[in-house]
Amino acid sequence: AVIFEQLALLYALPRLRARNFRIVLPWFSTGTMERVEQPGQIATANSLARMLSATPMGVGGPATVVIYDIHALQEQFYFS
């Protein structure tokens, strides 16, 4: 539930005229939760990456997403 509060803040920053901003994640917590084993399950990592990629454009351009997770190389393919 905390992620939605954080996303709401990220989405509000461009409306508040933030010139530029960088999203720094020490790890991508859902990076290993991409397996869908039953119908109806959500591909969590892909969904979270799409939400972060949909952060509105700021005055100075798009937000930068930086992930410092040295153990998971596959995360680069989730972001557009």
Side-chain angles (χ1 to χ4, degrees):
V2 173
I3 189 67
F4 294 112
E5 294 170 3
Q6 294 169 347
L7 282 171
L9 175 66
L10 287 175
Y11 285 20
L13 286 173
R15 285 193 311 256
L16 298 172
R17 299 287 183 213
R19 182 156 299 281
N20 55 34
F21 55 99
R22 180 176 301 205
I23 303 165
V24 179
L25 303 172
W27 74 93
F28 195 61
S29 60
T30 58
T32 59
M33 302 172 85
E34 195 55 29
R35 289 182 219 93
V36 175
E37 298 173 353
Q38 298 176 358
Q41 280 185 327
I42 304 293
T44 311
N46 191 25
S47 299
L48 181 57
R50 285 196 337 242
M51 285 187 266
L52 287 172
S53 294
T55 303
M57 185 91 61
V59 174
T64 304
V65 178
V66 179
I67 303 172
Y68 290 104
D69 189 351
I70 61 172
H71 300 293
L73 296 175
Q74 75 272 11
E75 292 155 2
Q76 64 184 326
F77 302 108
Y78 296 145
F79 292 90
S80 56

